[in-house]
């Protein structure tokens, strides 16, 4: 399927911007209360660059989204989400199947593990992206099953103790809160599913 890049960018941006307060509240519990604002700033910058981004082939466009996030998003989220989009841009074929998207997302997960020195179960965005990548790659995924898995995986970070990122400084006190990066990853995955399924 051809990726409808403009609706994807618009929907992801709109939903992340709309969720800024929620993400900031999550981050104020276990981080430094800037995840929502940083992500909002990043995707406002993506929207400002949209004409330039859409003028490029899909792979280059996604890499440009990644570079924009690296430059505009503060904290750890900029380099991490930048790495996600840049790796997707490098790995995705022009007309990907869901399994192709899974393989590209799996490559992104590997790149994020290397950049963030994190593993699955460390209470990070990887706890959503990793399971979703594996599920997509299996070839048995539907849009509903991906949405459900992303939601379950974000909720599953609540009882975890943070091992990586600023939340790790809290030790046991990080338990009982959803990881903000897991939630922003869930929002993006749900947005992508909605656009690809024609629901957005």
């Amino acid at each position: 399927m051809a990726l409808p890049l403009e609706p994807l960018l618009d929907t992801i941006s709109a939903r992340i911007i709309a969720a800024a307060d929620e993400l900031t509240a999550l981050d104020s519990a276990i981080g430094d209360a800037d995840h929502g604002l940083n992500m909002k700033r990043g995707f406002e910058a993506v929207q400002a660059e949209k004409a330039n981004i859409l003028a490029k082939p899909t792979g280059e466009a996604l890499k440009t989204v990644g570079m924009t996030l690296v430059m505009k998003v503060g904290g750890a989220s900029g380099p991490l989400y930048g790495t996600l989009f840049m790796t997707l841009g490098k790995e995705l074929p022009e007309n990907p199947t869901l399994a192709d998207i899974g393989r590209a997302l799996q490559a992104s997960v590997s790149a994020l593990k290397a950049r963030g020195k994190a593993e699955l179960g460390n209470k990070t965005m990887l706890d959503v992206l990793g399971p979703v990548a594996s599920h997509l790659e299996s070839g048995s995924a539907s849009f509903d099953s991906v949405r459900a898995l992303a939601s379950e995986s974000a909720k599953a970070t609540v009882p975890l103790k943070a091992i990586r990122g600023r939340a790790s400084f809290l030790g046991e006190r990080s338990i009982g809160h959803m990881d903000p990066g897991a939630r922003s990853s869930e929002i993006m995955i749900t947005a992508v599913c909605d656009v690809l399924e024609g629901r957005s």
Side-chain angles (χ1 to χ4, degrees), residues 81-92:
Y81 275 111
T83 296
L84 171 66
F85 279 93
M86 285 189 277
T87 309
L88 289 173
K90 198 166 65 178
E91 298 288 338
L92 274 174

Side-chain angles (χ1 to χ4, degrees), residues 28-185:
S28 66
I30 58 170
D32 43 13
D34 63 356
H35 186 59
L37 288 171
N38 285 342
M39 294 295 285
K40 179 172 184 263
R41 185 189 309 124
F43 279 96
E44 284 173 345
V46 167
Q47 284 297 303
E49 277 288 302
K50 194 170 79 166
N52 173 40
I53 291 167
L54 294 175
K56 300 173 187 289
T58 302
E60 290 304 313
L62 290 170
K63 287 183 201 169
T64 306
V65 171
M67 288 301 301
T68 304
L69 294 176
V70 168
M71 290 187 293
K72 297 293 183 182
V73 179
S77 303
L80 293 172
Y81 275 111
T83 296
L84 171 66
F85 279 93
M86 285 189 277
T87 309
L88 289 173
K90 198 166 65 178
E91 298 288 338
L92 274 174
E94 196 57 41
N95 293 297
T97 62
L98 283 182
D100 289 331
I101 294 171
R103 278 189 289 277
L105 194 54
Q106 202 71 268
S108 299
V109 166
S110 296
L112 286 167
K113 283 180 180 178
R115 179 163 274 261
K117 306 287 186 284
E119 293 295 332
L120 270 68
N122 287 175
K123 196 179 181 103
T124 71
M125 62 199 283
L126 289 174
D127 293 319
V128 170
L129 297 175
V132 167
S134 298
H135 181 47
L136 283 168
E137 214 177 2
S138 73
S140 62
S142 68
F143 291 117
D144 281 341
S145 67
V146 171
R147 275 189 282 260
L149 180 59
S151 175
E152 287 159 22
S153 299
K155 289 190 185 88
T157 65
V158 172
L160 295 178
K161 181 170 128 180
I163 308 293
R164 281 283 170 265
R166 189 169 286 273
S168 65
F169 301 143
L170 295 177
E172 300 293 329
R173 284 182 296 140
S174 65
I175 295 170
H177 301 280
M178 185 183 289
D179 179 69
R183 175 64 179 137
S184 54
S185 295

Side-chain angles (χ1 to χ4, degrees), residues 2-26:
L3 289 178
L5 206 53
E6 186 168 11
L8 283 170
L9 290 182
D10 286 348
T11 306
I12 291 170
S13 299
R15 294 199 191 171
I16 289 291
I17 290 165
D21 288 347
E22 178 198 351
L23 295 173
T24 292
L26 289 173

